[in-house]
Amino acid sequence: MKLLLQIFTWWNEQTIGTRFHTWRHGQRVGQDELGNVYYQGGKDSEGRTRRWVIYNGYAEASAIPAGWHGWMHHRTDVSPADEKYTPREWQKAHRVNPTGTANAYRPQGSIAATGKRPRVTGDYDAWTPGS
């Protein structure tokens, strides 16, 4: 069943193409606290070492912690697995992306929000054709 999911869906862990590329070129670099596994190998179109992640569960880009995000985007050559990475005091802990859930941000006046939209004040002039 897991193989069928990987063949027909791209959002479940890894696709067959990613599995093949990982088998052929991948060198495991490390794993984060969420269970995502990071690899590198081969070259990208700019000549840099290609880096990728195989997610633990659904492919959700916001599920990459800050230290690994920097490594994935070539901001550093040292992975968090190779150094004693500690987040800075201003870095927040990971939160799951709430888009599409009841916890999603809904600004005042949104159809999905409660309450009413604030009344327009005199600081706005609507555009009219020919003006």
Side-chain angles (χ1 to χ4, degrees), residues 15-76:
T15 62
I16 293 299
T18 303
R19 180 183 289 249
F20 179 73
H21 185 76
T22 302
W23 169 76
R24 189 158 179 228
H25 300 286
Q27 172 192 0
R28 185 183 166 130
V29 176
Q31 183 173 345
D32 65 19
E33 62 272 8
L34 301 172
N36 301 324
V37 183
Y38 298 86
Y39 293 90
Q40 68 180 3
K43 298 288 182 189
D44 65 9
S45 61
E46 296 177 11
R48 300 177 302 186
T49 302
R50 178 171 281 189
R51 297 173 177 174
W52 67 95
V53 59
I54 296 180
Y55 295 97
N56 180 20
Y58 284 123
E60 174 59 51
S62 70
I64 297 178
W68 283 105
H69 182 271
W71 178 82
M72 287 282 295
H73 293 276
H74 297 275
R75 300 293 180 249
T76 179

Side-chain angles (χ1 to χ4, degrees), residues 107-123:
Q108 186 178 7
S110 166
I111 294 173
T114 57
K116 295 200 178 232
R117 181 174 180 207
R119 189 153 178 82
V120 177
T121 61
D123 62 349

